[in-house]
Amino acid sequence: DGWNWYIGLDNVAIYVPPAKDAVAVEELAPESACGLSAAELISLVVFNNGQADITSIDAGFEVGAQMVSETFTITIPIGESDTLNFLTPVDMSAGGSYDFAIWTALTGDEDANNDTIWFSRQNIPIISSLPYSEGFESGNGFWNASESLPIT
């Protein structure tokens, strides 16, 4: 009766990690809000999943008709993350939705499946004159349903 313990393993993968692999982990961009500016800055958190330090990496983003690619001289040790801060701002001053793609482009990257993140942000116009009325005849008036509260 001394062997009353067990172990279960499932979905185990044994593999050789890629020599070079930069992973796009998280985008750092302004949250959807009222009154975004014509000079919003975008950043990308990158994880080094390869077997060598990353010392130079290209990265870029696209939103609307704007496409940006920049080269970053940075040291990201094996198994560590760092943030790439793009110098080119994004004009988000017009009200509406902005669909982004942001990516890494490491030379020799062996896993392209983890290089890109897609996300959306919305600039909601500031209501500066009251009373305010929106009839929704010519669009959604930049209104956005994002949460529901319980009816009491």
Side-chain angles (χ1 to χ4, degrees):
D1 202 37
W3 294 94
N4 292 334
W5 51 272
Y6 302 93
I7 186 169
L9 295 175
D10 193 12
N11 298 330
V12 175
I14 299 173
Y15 65 96
V16 176
K20 290 185 175 184
D21 185 22
V23 180
V25 175
E26 177 185 15
E27 92 316 307
L28 302 173
E31 292 299 318
S32 294
C34 296
L36 295 175
S37 76
E40 298 292 339
L41 297 176
I42 309 296
S43 298
L44 174 63
V45 177
V46 176
F47 176 76
N48 182 357
N49 194 43
Q51 298 181 42
D53 291 353
I54 295 173
T55 56
S56 178
I57 186 170
D58 292 336
F61 67 85
E62 181 176 4
V63 56
Q66 182 180 10
M67 183 183 286
V68 172
S69 180
E70 297 181 12
T71 299
F72 298 87
T73 302
I74 189 169
T75 299
I76 307 175
I78 301 166
E80 298 292 326
S81 298
D82 209 338
T83 302
L84 309 178
N85 299 306
F86 289 94
L87 298 176
T88 306
V90 178
D91 182 356
M92 296 176 70
S93 60
S97 183
Y98 295 84
D99 296 321
F100 286 83
I102 189 167
W103 63 87
T104 62
L106 178 65
T107 302
D109 193 321
E110 296 178 17
D111 184 0
N113 293 319
N114 57 16
D115 292 351
T116 305
I117 298 173
W118 293 270
F119 63 99
S120 294
R121 293 294 188 266
Q122 186 171 7
N123 184 12
I124 305 160
I126 295 174
I127 307 301
S128 57
S129 62
L130 297 175
Y132 171 77
S133 176
E134 174 59 60
F136 301 106
E137 286 82 11
S138 61
N140 65 8
F142 302 105
W143 286 88
N144 182 7
S146 61
E147 289 187 37
S148 62
L149 299 174
I151 299 174
T152 57

